[in-house]
Amino acid sequence: MANETSNKAADAANEATRNAADAATGAATQATDQMRAGAEKLQAAGGAMADTGSQLGMKMLDQAETNTAEAFKAMRAAAAANDVSEIMRIQSEYIREQGSRSVGQVREISELIANFGRTAMGQMTGRS
């Protein structure tokens, strides 16, 4: 009888140990899966960051090229001017146009950065 009780107790202890081990294994597997998913999200965000950085760099180069071309165009016009009043008019037009161009360029850059932020957050939270 005592032997039977000991066997039942041992069986119960073994079952509890198996259940605990299964639960621990399941928790470890779940944690590993979550870490893997997080790493994949970070990798995707990193790729998006590299792509956006490239787009941003190209956009800034395009804008610099446009600004330089417009500056040289205004300098040529000023060099060909016949009097001081024409030079002043050319400079005023250039400054007004450059101001408008700058506002548009800042808007373009801001939109690229904002879109990157939205995309990165979407990828990180799984709401892309």
Side-chain angles (χ1 to χ4, degrees), residues 106-120:
V106 166
R107 187 175 295 121
E108 288 177 30
I109 297 296
S110 297
E111 287 175 8
L112 279 173
I113 292 169
N115 286 338
F116 163 72
R118 283 189 289 275
T119 300

Side-chain angles (χ1 to χ4, degrees), residues 1-10:
M1 178 87 147
N3 204 14
E4 188 177 316
T5 304
S6 292
N7 286 342
K8 286 183 182 180

Side-chain angles (χ1 to χ4, degrees), residues 74-75 77-78 84-98:
M75 286 189 281
V84 175
S85 65
E86 190 175 354
I87 292 171
M88 297 300 286
R89 181 188 57 76
I90 291 166
Q91 283 182 328
S92 294
E93 286 177 8
Y94 170 75
I95 290 171
R96 184 176 53 257
E97 290 170 2
Q98 182 58 38

